[in-house]
Amino acid sequence: MNNVPPSDASGCSELSKPRTILIADDSEMVRAKVRQALERETDFEICGEATDGVEAVAKAKELTPDLILLDVKMPRLTGLEVAGILRRTQPRIRIMMVTMYAEELNQKLASRFGVDAVFSKSEGVTKLIERVENLLAV
């Protein structure tokens, strides 16, 4: 019996493929800071970035990330609208809402839109990395 894990078109074992993350935030500075921290501190791969809600939906469909870090307040579609769309169309993608308004967006409200976690930007990148690692460990 062959116990070799299945591989994708690149020949990479499914077990060795890095977990992928899509960053969706309208602030270039926030996207750059999050990308830099995750690339420096984790083995996760940043597969793409989106600058608004419509682009976030399109890139999630194209890239099928393991996790999307989704800003609440974005142009064209809000983060909650994007989360609702993704939960219906791509239910396996984990969704973390990243916001400056965590006190306004409680976990109960977010879970109605299919959000797996809510993170306050004020907690900083060290806590963000911990939360991302916990979400992707599941």
Side-chain angles (χ1 to χ4, degrees):
M1 176 172 253
N2 185 353
N3 287 333
V4 176
S7 61
D8 63 13
S10 70
C12 293
S13 158
E14 289 291 323
L15 299 175
S16 67
K17 282 177 55 174
R19 304 298 296 259
T20 57
I21 299 172
L22 173 63
I23 302 168
D25 196 300
D26 58 332
S27 167
E28 183 176 344
M29 184 178 74
V30 169
R31 289 191 319 273
K33 187 174 182 178
V34 169
R35 174 186 277 276
Q36 181 182 49
L38 289 170
E39 287 178 338
R40 183 181 61 237
E41 302 293 330
T42 73
D43 292 330
F44 304 129
E45 176 185 318
I46 307 303
C47 63
E49 296 182 9
T51 59
D52 65 49
V54 171
E55 187 179 14
V57 171
K59 291 225 173 161
K61 181 178 181 181
E62 172 193 348
L63 301 170
T64 63
D66 296 301
L67 171 68
I68 181 169
L69 300 178
L70 194 55
D71 186 24
V72 171
K73 295 192 176 190
M74 290 190 297
R76 297 172 62 191
L77 288 174
T78 68
L80 288 174
E81 290 170 320
V82 172
I85 292 167
L86 294 180
R87 195 47 71 221
R88 289 188 306 275
T89 61
Q90 296 181 277
R92 73 160 204 83
I93 295 176
R94 309 283 294 179
I95 301 170
M96 180 188 292
M97 199 61 64
V98 181
T99 179
M100 288 300 296
Y101 312 98
E103 60 283 345
E104 297 172 24
L105 180 70
N106 63 43
Q107 187 62 48
K108 186 175 181 180
L109 172 64
S111 66
R112 287 199 325 230
F113 287 88
V115 173
D116 297 296
V118 176
F119 182 80
S120 174
K121 290 178 182 178
S122 65
E123 292 183 69
V125 294
T126 302
K127 288 283 186 193
L128 176 66
I129 289 167
E130 288 175 20
R131 297 287 297 279
V132 166
E133 289 174 334
N134 289 338
L135 268 178
L136 289 178
V138 175

